[in-house]
Amino acid sequence: MTVPRTIPACPALALPACLALMLGVSVLLAPAAAAHDVSGHGAAGEAADARSSVVADDLPPGVRFEVLQNGLALRLRNDSSAVVRVREPPLPVAPGHSVQWHVDAAHPSAGPHPPVQPWRVVIEVNGVAHQVLGEVRWTPGPSPWPWLAGAALLAAGLAGTAWRWRGPAWLAMPLGLAVLASIGHTGAALAARTAEGSRWALLGGYLPQAGCWVLGTLAVLQLGRGRTEGAGLGALAAAGLVVITLARDGVVLGAPVVLVSLPAALDRVLVAGIIGLSAGVLAGLLLTRSIERRTPSAAAS
């Protein structure tokens, strides 16, 4: 005799709860996303409200000027045999060498600002003054809500699928995709931090993400082998990815300037994908666990 399986009344409680959680966190993050404050003269940021760039220069061949990390630093390289010197601050640049320095006017800052902030650097080559003209231009960014809505729909879809499919093993695939997307976004963000020295010295700031990657990888391996013990590790990894990505990377969804070594639209896809996949995996694992707990009680009755 087949005993009908008793399950929760409907997924109507789990899906809105997942969506409400994401919406609530998004509302809390909205002021931060609007500010995109990446100033601080050394503070790393992945998003900004303005772009700092060179608009004109009359430097001779062999003398190369760069704006690093959206104005966090300026770099001058002397690949010629000329005597090169930055006038202010006074910095000599020997042939085959480069110097790096910071100029407040070339770095986007928080607070009231004009739509365009010009800046200028004077460079002497063999005693002759040359100019580099630049600007910091503030522009409105895209709305983050379509990206967050897409992430919410993805999470709801995964949670709804978990309602229909018994067992957590299939969640290994979306969890693995979330881990890969997080690794891709983090690698692109790290590669763009060209003004802060050795990449190895910056890795410590990414330990929380790395911990989620390790937990997520272990969970994927266990779930893929049909071992339900991986559900707990998967839930921890998914929850960590949701929180870290929303808190640290969510601002890129609404920023006009995204400081990563990827096209901005592709990076937004990665960030929204991490949020949606991780939230969906977490909701799916919780739903699956809830169903598994209630099924034996139904059979016993």
Side-chain angles (χ1 to χ4, degrees):
M1 177 177 175
T2 302
V3 179
R5 180 169 58 95
T6 300
I7 58 177
C10 66
L13 294 178
L15 296 183
C18 176
L19 296 175
L21 174 61
M22 293 186 63
L23 181 60
V25 175
S26 302
V27 169
L28 291 175
L29 289 175
H36 306 313
D37 180 12
V38 294
S39 62
H41 297 192
E46 295 176 20
D49 277 334
R51 183 181 301 277
S52 181
S53 60
V54 174
V55 296
D57 72 76
D58 61 351
L59 295 174
V63 181
R64 184 160 52 94
F65 183 91
E66 296 177 272
V67 177
L68 302 181
Q69 211 166 324
N70 202 31
L72 183 61
L74 306 177
R75 178 186 291 164
L76 182 68
R77 179 163 184 84
N78 181 11
D79 289 323
S80 70
S81 59
V83 177
V84 178
R85 176 177 173 270
V86 179
R87 181 171 289 181
E88 188 178 348
L91 294 170
V93 190
H97 290 76
S98 63
V99 294
Q100 181 175 312
W101 73 103
H102 177 83
V103 174
D104 285 345
H107 188 204
S109 59
H113 44 68
V116 179
Q117 175 179 294
W119 52 268
R120 181 174 74 107
V121 173
V122 178
I123 297 168
E124 296 179 0
V125 180
N126 288 333
V128 178
H130 297 264
Q131 290 191 108
V132 176
L133 302 179
E135 66 177 20
V136 176
R137 183 177 293 269
W138 278 266
T139 56
S143 172
W145 299 114
W147 297 100
L148 291 169
L153 288 174
L154 178 57
L158 289 174
T161 304
W163 174 259
R164 295 188 298 271
W165 294 2
R166 294 196 60 186
W170 69 274
L171 288 168
M173 184 177 69
L175 178 57
L177 290 175
V179 170
L180 290 176
S182 179
I183 292 173
H185 166 73
T186 302
L190 181 61
R193 296 176 65 175
T194 54
E196 301 175 75
S198 170
R199 302 297 192 280
W200 292 106
L202 304 175
L203 291 178
Y206 298 96
L207 288 178
Q209 289 97 316
C212 293
W213 303 338
V214 172
L215 289 176
T217 301
L218 292 175
V220 167
L221 292 175
Q222 289 191 341
L223 291 173
R225 295 171 181 171
R227 301 174 63 180
T228 57
E229 311 91 79
L233 292 177
L236 286 175
L241 286 175
V242 170
V243 172
I244 292 171
T245 305
L246 280 171
R248 180 168 183 166
D249 309 317
V251 293
V252 307
L253 299 178
V257 180
V258 179
L259 307 180
V260 293
S261 59
L262 285 174
L266 176 57
D267 191 61
R268 293 186 183 104
V269 169
L270 288 178
V271 171
I274 298 166
I275 297 170
L277 289 168
S278 301
V281 168
L282 178 60
L285 288 172
L286 293 178
L287 269 173
T288 301
R289 183 58 176 165
S290 175
I291 292 172
E292 289 176 347
R293 285 180 175 177
R294 298 190 183 203
T295 301
S297 63
S301 61

